[in-house]
Amino acid sequence: MSTTNNGALSVHLRVWRQDGPGDAGRFETYDVGDISSDASFLEMLDVLNERLTLEGREPITFESDCREGICGTCGLMINGRAHGPQKGTATCQLHMREFSDGDVITVEPWRAGSFEVIRDLAVDRTDLDRIIAAGGYISVNTGAAPDANLVPVPKEASESAFDAAACIGCGACVAACPNSAAQLFTAAKVQHLNLLPQGQPERWARTEAMVETMEQFFGSCTNHGECEEACPKEISIDFIAWTNRDYVRAKLKNRKLAGQV
Amino acid sequence: MIGSLDARLPDGPIENAWTDHKFDLRLVNPNNKRRFTVIVVGTGLAGASAAASLGELGYRVKAFTYHDSPRRAHSIAAQGGINAAKNYKNDGDSVYRLFYDTIKGGDYRSREANVYRLAETSLAIIDQCVAAGVPFAREYGGLLDNRSFGGAQVSRTFYARGQTGQQLLLGAYSALMRQVAAGTVALHTRAEMLDLVVAEDRAVGIATRDLLTGEISAHAGDAVILATGGYSNVYYLSTNAMMCNVTAAWRAHRRGALFANPCYTQIHPTCIPAGDDFQSKLTLMSESLRNDGRIWVPRALDDTRAPADIPEAARDYYLEERYAAFGNLVPRDVASRNAKTVVDAGRGVGPLRNGVYLDFSGVLERDGAEVVRAKYGNLFDMYQRITGEDPYRVPMRIYPAVHYTMGGLWVDYNLMSNVPGLFVAGEANFSDHGANRLGASALMQGLADGYFIVPYTVGDYLAGRLGKEGPGTDHPAFADTVSDVNERTARWPAARGSRTVDWFHRELGQIVWDHCGMSRNAAGLQKALSEIPALRQEFHADVCVPGSAATLNQSLEKAGRVDDFFELAELLARDALEREESCGGHFREEHQDAEGEARRDDERFTHVAAWEWAGPGAEPIRHREELTFSAVTPTTRSYK
């Protein structure tokens, strides 16, 4: 529940610290006081890090960049929820007014087999890029494009494609999934292109390649739906259903012919 | 020493200049392309599109990003849109009009030929992006929609909701990943360029630090393209992402590349003011809000009443009063300076008295909340998420923030710096926006450079290198550069002073903001020029950088970047001091008319200032590139 209270809070943090991929890791506790409720969650961690630095201790490693909820660099498990308690909000857009004075807050990295912990709260999400490299594109070389208005795109198709394309690639869907599947990420990327006329020639090959690359590096989807709940862009699991449909069709069709129908 | 600056501008009428020039550029035949390695640093719009396009052509490309994925560069945060002179709206737009608007918007401090080429290229950019699957806004008939943006009189802006930058970057990133899969591009993530390698008076490679292991390594290339963005974070608080920095460009500058017009910085008027002392960055809100919001502050000093309790007569709608014709829609620099004037006078609003109201009560009453929600719902939600205040009930508070830097490494018409083989694309170069950038033009320039200019001009340079294999990493220049970088990096873990890197960055930012911000004067700039080196000295003596250089160490990364910001800040102040005129984003208080409007000095300053590094502590050397105007006649901008 949002309030407009500008008062200061004190919180007790339990933060996952891990020196490197091979380290067992442990929770450390920190008290952080006198934080404005208008500060963002990451600014609260910035304040703590400055204090740790001056105390001669190593600051907590966590990743963020744009701090506008669009680049997908940030991502913390906060009290067991990917990106924390506020729905549809990336970690960097979470503010301290969502917490109460005296709260105990547990902060962990994304937990998923395919996301190796690099250090403290930073994880390796490179496998998401592998899914894109497998087919998350339209094969059009620079200079080969026809006039932009040559192919009309029905507004509904364009809007749906956009709903999928809004994915910021943060990996919250993987972290929230009991199977560590990247199905929502993959489905969003597949459907962004499959829904557009420009994406039709490679539709079946793309779907097959991306889904199978996902299966190779991540767990399998069993329709828990946790991903949709955790997604900071509130991307719908309908895209997963559509991708499953496309995947079955891709498997059944003779793809050499499919490009022509 | 550098002789006269030759921009290698094409002759003849600008309408045919680029076409003719492309014909004159030498080609590399397909079999020879694979013999050349091109290094691309940065994977934002300019870098990703350049790397993908060069890979498609058959060059061996090495792409570097300090992010974990090439999809995260700050191009992704651009909201508004991308301009193109398609004239789909039949409202009188043309390549010439986009050219004219851009050169005028830049306050006649950019090159005609470059700007014309940019306008011309805008057409192909939209085609390319649509073909790649960018979901631009569409009309019910399925064709592309356009809107008017940033005060333009024609609707030429293509947009994808409020996330145009994200969608364009995802398009360029997908083209890049396609080439990674095809094996033409080798992608190096979490690798930060910390130096340029120069040998035989040419750029021959780069030195990078692996951000996970700390290892410094050398990479050789036949050409190097920097697409490493702008330097707004020299102000500490800006709308740039946390990691944006000037290091790659600055290190190239120290290796001989000229740095042009560093004082041309852009302040965006509609950002959310800082909420507290620990504010880490500022968030921009689309300036489309000024279409319906009315900007005001209380007339009286220390009027702390709630905005709703302040009667009309006690409100100062200062833009509407002063600029009858344009009112709240005056250009970015004018709106920003006027906000500063009222806040400096002590009439700012909000808990820190650091904002002005942007009030929607009029349009809410007139059209109702639903109409406003349909237009601005996303922006209102974003504002509420950040401030905790409901803009449907209380006026927004806004204040200007640094947003974009027009200055950058000097390049010729081929986007090559004065160091042969070193190309600079996107915001990192200085080339197209003059003293002020128009809205929706940054995305256009990044993609023009990357998709459609650099792939041709790099080929021309490489054609001249055929049969002359460049030095490999066994050349002593590589070992020397790596050892320089190792030495620089090793100093930080030894630093056990009493202040954090962020503390120094904030202090530096405050100096630059106070004296080289929205308005500048000689006394302030001189003060900055004495304060910056003093603070830098303190930084070296008293900074504390915990941890080791052999692991992921974010404090160490920041220390190197802030160190380079110190030197850039000094150059920025020096450039601002030397440019004794007001133009675009550079406003010198000594150069204004009786009504406080900017006064250009075309006689003395119709030129680019390109600075040469002269060594640590030495005065840099100011070179000039004269600007000539044959297609347009410089006029005074007036918005009254």
Side-chain angles (χ1 to χ4, degrees):
Chain A
M1 189 56 208
S2 286
T3 67
T4 52
N5 168 28
N6 295 315
L9 346 154
S10 298
V11 291
H12 310 286
L13 298 180
R14 289 176 68 233
V15 180
W16 184 257
R17 302 300 304 262
Q18 185 174 335
D19 295 341
D23 180 35
R26 71 276 167 200
F27 278 106
E28 288 187 8
T29 57
Y30 309 95
D31 289 338
V32 186
D34 203 25
I35 291 291
S36 159
S37 61
D38 283 336
S40 74
F41 190 82
L42 296 184
E43 282 163 4
M44 181 272 296
L45 290 181
D46 290 340
V47 170
L48 170 61
N49 271 347
E50 291 215 42
R51 193 184 86 198
L52 292 176
T53 302
L54 295 178
E55 288 169 1
R57 299 153 76 184
E58 290 207 30
I60 302 160
T61 299
F62 66 90
E63 296 196 277
S64 77
D65 200 24
C66 76
R67 297 209 176 181
E68 296 181 20
I70 195 78
C71 75
T73 307
C74 69
L76 300 175
M77 274 301 206
I78 299 168
N79 288 337
R81 295 179 66 175
H83 289 305
Q86 195 177 10
K87 195 162 162 48
T89 304
T91 303
C92 66
Q93 292 284 282
L94 180 65
H95 283 71
M96 293 308 291
R97 66 181 77 89
E98 299 299 320
F99 298 90
S100 302
D101 193 35
D103 275 0
V104 176
I105 307 173
T106 302
V107 189
E108 297 168 86
W110 282 167
R111 299 284 194 197
S114 48
F115 289 167
E116 185 176 59
V117 173
I118 295 168
R119 191 177 169 85
D120 296 341
L121 304 173
V123 299
D124 181 0
R125 289 168 288 191
T126 315
D127 290 342
L128 295 177
D129 284 330
R130 293 179 201 268
I131 298 172
I132 302 300
Y137 46 75
I138 289 169
S139 296
V140 51
N141 281 4
T142 302
D147 184 85
N149 257 348
L150 189 68
V151 182
V153 180
K155 191 173 170 68
E156 297 75 12
S158 174
E159 294 289 323
S160 292
F162 195 107
D163 291 341
C167 168
I168 59 173
C170 62
C173 48
V174 181
C177 177
N179 305 339
S180 297
Q183 193 79 343
L184 188 59
F185 170 83
T186 308
K189 296 298 178 184
V190 167
Q191 291 307 321
H192 159 208
L193 302 175
N194 282 10
L195 286 162
L196 293 170
Q198 289 85 355
Q200 295 313 303
E202 295 166 292
R203 180 173 178 175
W204 313 114
R206 167 187 307 120
T207 308
E208 198 178 359
M210 291 177 73
V211 169
E212 290 176 4
T213 304
M214 193 293 282
E215 296 270 351
Q216 192 184 339
F217 292 98
F218 295 86
S220 296
C221 172
T222 50
N223 296 315
H224 282 270
E226 295 287 344
C227 50
E228 183 184 68
E229 201 57 26
C231 177
K233 295 296 154 185
E234 302 184 84
I235 291 173
S236 165
I237 52 172
D238 287 357
F239 291 119
I240 294 182
W242 297 357
T243 302
N244 290 341
R245 176 202 62 186
D246 281 359
Y247 182 71
V248 172
R249 287 175 71 183
K251 279 299 191 197
L252 293 176
K253 271 179 190 273
N254 175 340
R255 274 181 278 110
K256 281 186 182 147
L257 285 176
Q260 295 159 21
V261 288
Chain B
M1 285 299 106
I2 287 145
S4 69
L5 279 180
D6 181 7
R8 298 206 282 170
L9 294 175
D11 300 326
I14 51 170
E15 288 83 355
N16 303 323
W18 177 230
T19 307
D20 292 348
H21 185 74
K22 273 192 289 188
F23 182 74
D24 292 338
L25 292 173
R26 291 165 293 179
L27 301 174
V28 179
N29 92 39
N31 292 328
N32 283 330
K33 286 199 176 88
R34 68 176 73 100
R35 296 165 61 169
F36 289 117
T37 298
V38 181
I39 287 175
V40 181
V41 187
T43 55
L45 280 184
S49 58
S53 303
L54 289 160
E56 289 162 9
L57 286 170
Y59 295 107
R60 285 184 311 207
V61 179
K62 294 182 188 170
F64 293 84
T65 170
Y66 58 49
H67 287 107
D68 66 324
S69 162
R71 52 150 293 132
R72 307 218 191 270
H74 200 54
S75 310
I76 209 160
Q79 297 169 6
I82 176 166
N83 285 331
K86 285 282 195 184
N87 195 31
Y88 282 160
K89 287 286 185 186
N90 195 30
D91 56 2
D93 199 14
S94 63
V95 167
Y96 195 89
R97 190 178 294 281
L98 176 55
F99 153 73
Y100 178 81
D101 288 354
T102 306
I103 207 131
K104 179 185 175 199
D107 221 353
Y108 304 97
R109 289 295 175 262
S110 44
R111 294 180 191 141
E112 280 187 341
N114 280 63
V115 176
Y116 194 88
R117 174 176 66 184
L118 177 66
E120 193 180 340
T121 309
S122 70
L123 307 173
I125 293 172
I126 299 303
D127 299 342
Q128 189 65 35
C129 293
V130 166
V134 171
F136 283 121
R138 294 196 174 253
E139 294 172 335
Y140 282 102
L143 302 180
L144 290 155
D145 191 19
N146 296 119
R147 63 182 173 193
S148 161
F149 191 79
Q153 289 170 299
V154 292
S155 294
R156 63 159 74 101
T157 303
F158 294 76
Y159 64 102
R161 294 189 192 161
Q163 291 123 275
T164 315
Q166 179 199 25
Q167 294 308 316
L168 295 176
L169 182 61
L170 291 179
Y173 155 74
S174 68
L176 173 65
M177 293 312 288
R178 173 170 165 248
Q179 292 310 306
V180 170
T184 62
V185 177
L187 182 62
H188 299 257
T189 58
R190 296 191 189 269
E192 180 170 20
M193 169 178 161
L194 293 182
D195 218 332
L196 179 75
V197 183
V198 177
E200 300 162 6
D201 296 324
R202 292 182 297 114
V204 295
I206 61 171
T208 60
R209 178 169 181 271
D210 181 323
L211 298 184
L212 300 186
T213 65
E215 190 192 349
I216 310 293
S217 45
H219 306 269
D222 297 288
V224 176
I225 301 170
L226 296 191
T228 50
Y231 50 86
S232 293
N233 275 350
V234 67
Y235 292 88
Y236 185 71
L237 284 181
S238 81
T239 66
N240 277 193
M242 301 297 288
M243 298 203 285
C244 291
N245 68 82
V246 77
T247 288
W250 192 255
R251 290 288 144 188
H253 173 58
R254 289 182 57 131
R255 295 277 174 197
L258 300 179
F259 207 105
N261 300 334
C263 79
Y264 291 164
T265 57
Q266 184 168 75
I267 317 274
H268 197 291
T270 50
C271 299
I272 301 174
D276 58 52
D277 294 342
F278 295 105
Q279 184 96 19
S280 56
K281 74 157 298 210
L282 297 170
T283 303
L284 173 135
M285 288 184 302
S286 170
E287 61 188 328
S288 62
L289 288 169
R290 287 198 280 146
N291 290 335
D292 282 305
R294 296 181 71 196
I295 292 172
W296 64 277
V297 290
R299 284 197 187 279
L301 290 174
D302 302 318
D303 188 339
T304 52
R305 288 178 287 183
D309 297 337
I310 301 178
E312 280 296 309
R315 299 177 177 194
D316 180 5
Y317 294 92
Y318 55 90
L319 289 178
E320 296 174 21
E321 282 179 24
R322 195 158 170 199
Y323 304 95
F326 279 71
N328 294 301
L329 292 173
V330 291
R332 291 175 175 181
D333 53 336
V334 179
S336 298
R337 270 199 304 281
N338 279 278
K340 176 177 159 60
T341 306
V342 294
V343 169
D344 286 353
R347 295 195 286 145
V349 300
L352 301 181
R353 315 283 303 272
N354 60 349
V356 300
Y357 287 127
L358 179 61
D359 194 339
F360 292 87
S361 54
V363 65
L364 282 164
E365 206 168 294
R366 196 169 63 240
D367 298 342
E370 279 322 299
V371 172
V372 173
R373 198 183 311 277
K375 264 182 167 167
Y376 304 118
N378 285 353
L379 295 165
F380 277 41
D381 290 349
M382 180 172 82
Y383 180 85
Q384 181 159 18
R385 191 170 290 151
I386 291 171
T387 62
E389 291 177 355
D390 177 3
Y392 292 97
R393 297 203 334 242
V394 292
M396 285 185 178
R397 288 174 292 112
I398 57 166
Y399 198 63
V402 183
H403 175 54
Y404 188 89
T405 52
M406 284 74 68
L409 291 177
W410 184 88
V411 287
D412 64 14
Y413 187 67
N414 285 343
L415 303 186
M416 189 166 84
S417 72
N418 58 303
V419 177
L422 177 68
F423 292 78
V424 192
E427 191 180 349
N429 73 28
F430 89 108
S431 70
D432 293 358
H433 304 297
N436 178 48
R437 180 179 65 73
L438 289 186
S441 287
L443 303 178
M444 174 172 69
Q445 186 226 333
L447 288 178
D449 290 1
Y451 277 133
F452 295 111
I453 299 171
V454 153
Y456 296 105
T457 58
V458 165
D460 176 71
Y461 170 76
L462 292 175
R465 302 290 313 156
L466 270 170
K468 301 175 212 160
E469 262 74 63
T473 48
D474 50 353
H475 188 283
F478 284 90
D480 291 350
T481 309
V482 166
S483 121
D484 283 357
V485 174
N486 267 317
E487 202 175 305
R488 271 206 320 274
T489 310
R491 77 191 291 177
W492 303 121
R496 286 286 181 268
S498 68
R499 303 269 191 199
T500 62
V501 177
D502 285 338
W503 185 87
F504 282 103
H505 195 180
R506 278 194 295 271
E507 293 290 308
L508 171 66
Q510 195 64 51
I511 297 173
V512 186
W513 177 247
D514 286 346
H515 303 303
C516 319
M518 279 184 274
S519 72
R520 298 131 185 214
N521 61 55
L525 290 165
Q526 264 144 0
K527 191 155 181 255
L529 280 172
S530 74
E531 286 179 359
I532 295 164
L535 184 66
R536 182 161 186 260
Q537 214 164 16
E538 201 185 324
F539 172 67
H540 285 165
D542 196 28
V543 72
C544 176
V545 182
S548 112
T551 57
L552 177 57
N553 185 338
Q554 295 170 326
S555 307
L556 179 136
E557 293 166 23
K558 281 191 279 193
R561 294 169 193 161
V562 170
D563 199 20
D564 289 335
F565 273 136
F566 271 106
E567 288 181 349
L568 166 80
E570 229 182 303
L571 189 68
L572 197 165
R574 198 174 297 277
D575 187 46
L577 184 62
E578 296 276 327
R579 187 166 284 278
E580 292 173 346
E581 65 164 349
S582 295
C583 59
H586 171 66
F587 186 81
R588 281 287 298 268
E589 288 161 13
E590 303 93 325
H591 301 278
Q592 52 184 314
D593 64 19
E595 293 172 312
E597 300 303 325
R599 206 163 53 197
R600 258 189 358 242
D601 186 344
D602 287 348
E603 207 157 295
R604 291 176 62 213
F605 288 100
T606 308
H607 64 252
V608 174
W611 294 87
E612 180 186 352
W613 174 255
E619 286 237 349
I621 303 153
R622 189 177 191 269
H623 299 271
R624 294 157 62 120
E625 178 201 333
E626 301 299 332
L627 295 170
T628 52
F629 293 90
S630 53
V632 298
T633 311
T635 56
T636 302
R637 295 192 306 158
S638 171
Y639 300 96
K640 295 255 176 184

